[in-house]
Amino acid sequence: MHKRPLEILIFGAGAVGSTFGWRLAQNPFVRLSAVCRSNYTSVKTNGIHLRTTLWGNGSFRPHRVVKAVSDVQNVAFDYVVCANKLTPSDAVSFAEAIRPAVRPTTTLVSVQNGINVERPLKHMFEGNTILSAICYASCQQPLPGQVQQLTQIRPFAFAIGTYHSGSTDTQSENNKLEKLVSLDSKFKAIKDVNTERWTKMMFNGSLNPVSALTGLNSHQLLQDSPSLTLAHRLAEEIYEVASRSGANLPADSVSRTISCLQSPAPIVPSMLQDARDGRQMEVEALCGNIWRQADAVGVSVPAVKATYDALTSMNQKIGIPRQYTFESDPHTPVADLSTDLASETSRRASKHLLYDVQPSITPVAA
């Protein structure tokens, strides 16, 4: 029996954060707070509405909806869930942003994409328990406060484990993990966070970037040979980095990754969602951290670095009108630009060359 409500804060109530929070809020002893940004007004007024294939449809209103962590700094949170996207401006600052909500007894949960994403939390909150959650459900927020989950690449939604940081009190950490996992039947406890992160990274570091470059969803990628070739090459390089980094991945991990494209419903990866909506893509978390880890363990990853360069160039243009074209042809649509960029990336990667051509881009006239 819980003597008091289990206080949980969701930092970043986007599609994934809203889905995770919704499942937690189904428990009557959980008191959920949410830090919202662009969807603050909608969530504050109308709550969050979800359509999902894993759990059915539903809606909920967080107990507290705030714009900043400082608005709830007096609450003794048991868990702080970081579900924010790791764009260049957020990669380090998010740990500082959640500081007002963190006490020595607070458990931190990273539900963020990428590898090594827990390090900022470990650096700032060395004495706290840190859990790492890997999302296998494809979630979208087409409108503020309106979330859809149409498909998933595993039978469960979130794999959650302890981010081992040298703590001697492993029983306490395991108890906190078990308590969180018990809150939903689609949460799964795992023992090897490193391997699980790299397993998801096989998908996120290959199919996600290629989808963003080409503008194609998972089913469309299957029909596009050059894009599929690039995705396969990226998965091969990531597999080598993962293996050298201590991950125990199956020998057929590359083929398993590509087979995810055959999901019943087409997957629109997060990078493609961001590119379509004119938002910064998580290039550092999903590409940059891979090649930095590759350098650390001595693995050559020319395709990863080429793709990173191409996506960084695209990211630099986000914030101005969403459609871009080559200066030499003012009528080229955005899809053609992405395809050309991906084709050049694929060609250079196949020859172990870095992408060193930065095409001049200007916005399409409104």
Side-chain angles (χ1 to χ4, degrees):
M1 177 178 292
H2 294 267
K3 297 181 179 179
R4 66 174 181 83
L6 192 65
E7 295 282 3
I8 302 179
L9 175 67
I10 301 292
F11 180 73
V16 172
S18 293
T19 301
F20 198 86
W22 174 48
R23 300 318 304 161
L24 298 175
Q26 301 313 298
N27 297 274
F29 53 85
V30 169
R31 184 177 290 169
L32 192 84
S33 302
V35 177
C36 300
R37 296 181 182 180
S38 60
N39 58 356
Y40 170 80
T41 300
S42 178
V43 174
K44 182 75 172 179
T45 305
N46 302 311
I48 298 173
H49 303 267
L50 303 98
R51 295 175 53 209
T52 77
T53 58
L54 274 172
W55 301 279
N57 301 338
S59 62
F60 79 108
R61 189 186 299 271
H63 183 72
R64 307 178 189 89
V65 180
V66 298
K67 292 182 177 180
V69 175
S70 57
D71 296 332
V72 287
Q73 62 183 341
N74 294 326
V75 179
F77 287 108
D78 298 285
Y79 293 86
V80 171
V81 179
C82 299
N84 58 300
K85 287 184 178 293
L86 291 176
T87 60
S89 61
D90 290 334
V92 176
S93 62
F94 85 92
E96 181 63 41
I98 67 171
R99 184 192 286 273
V102 179
R103 302 188 180 193
T105 56
T106 303
T107 298
L108 305 170
V109 186
S110 171
V111 195
Q112 296 145 315
N113 273 329
I115 55 165
N116 300 330
V117 293
E118 307 91 347
R119 288 181 178 177
L121 296 175
K122 169 61 179 171
H123 177 73
M124 188 160 291
F125 308 107
E126 187 172 357
N128 293 72
T129 296
I130 299 174
L131 303 181
S132 187
I134 297 92
C135 178
Y136 286 108
S138 178
C139 304
Q140 304 177 45
Q141 185 175 211
L143 294 170
Q146 303 287 329
V147 176
Q148 299 176 349
Q149 181 273 311
L150 303 177
T151 188
Q152 70 277 343
I153 57 178
R154 292 287 185 88
F156 49 89
F158 295 93
I160 310 173
T162 302
Y163 180 68
H164 294 292
S165 54
S167 171
T168 57
D169 193 0
T170 56
Q171 185 59 53
S172 175
E173 292 185 339
N174 289 335
N175 290 342
K176 293 173 180 178
L177 169 62
E178 291 173 6
K179 179 180 289 187
L180 183 65
V181 170
S182 71
L183 298 179
D184 192 83
S185 62
K186 297 299 182 182
F187 292 177
K188 179 183 178 182
I190 57 173
K191 294 183 178 180
D192 188 349
V193 164
N194 184 49
T195 294
E196 199 70 37
R197 278 274 174 195
W198 279 109
T199 299
K200 175 67 182 295
M201 203 67 219
M202 292 284 293
F203 177 93
N204 262 344
S206 58
L207 305 180
N208 210 329
V210 174
S211 183
L213 283 171
T214 61
L216 304 177
N217 65 35
S218 59
H219 287 186
Q220 293 167 330
L221 283 176
L222 276 173
Q223 308 303 318
D224 189 75
S225 181
S227 298
L228 201 58
T229 298
L230 175 57
H232 195 277
R233 177 62 183 280
L234 288 168
E236 289 177 332
E237 291 186 357
I238 295 168
Y239 177 81
E240 292 300 321
V241 179
S243 299
R244 193 74 66 87
S245 301
N248 299 310
L249 298 180
D252 62 347
S253 291
V254 172
S255 60
R256 287 189 183 189
T257 298
I258 300 302
S259 70
C260 291
L261 295 173
Q262 300 172 348
S263 59
I267 298 172
V268 181
S270 60
M271 272 189 172
L272 178 55
Q273 293 178 42
D274 289 338
R276 287 176 172 177
D277 292 339
R279 298 189 299 259
Q280 287 279 308
M281 297 177 288
E282 296 180 281
V283 177
E284 295 301 328
L286 300 185
C287 298
N289 283 354
I290 296 176
W291 71 253
R292 281 185 280 270
Q293 180 66 16
D295 284 354
V297 297
V299 175
S300 176
V301 287
V304 170
K305 289 187 175 181
T307 304
Y308 170 83
D309 286 345
L311 288 169
T312 297
S313 178
M314 290 177 65
N315 237 7
Q316 290 170 349
K317 306 301 176 182
I318 291 177
I320 59 177
R322 299 179 195 171
Q323 293 187 334
Y324 313 108
T325 182
F326 290 110
E327 287 183 342
S328 57
D329 183 359
H331 303 293
T332 303
V334 64
D336 289 347
L337 168 63
S338 296
T339 301
D340 290 344
L341 200 57
S343 296
E344 176 65 3
T345 302
S346 180
R347 182 184 72 80
R348 290 176 173 271
S350 67
K351 295 182 178 181
H352 294 265
L353 297 172
L354 294 184
Y355 186 86
D356 57 7
V357 174
Q358 299 293 333
S360 181
I361 302 175
T362 55
V364 172

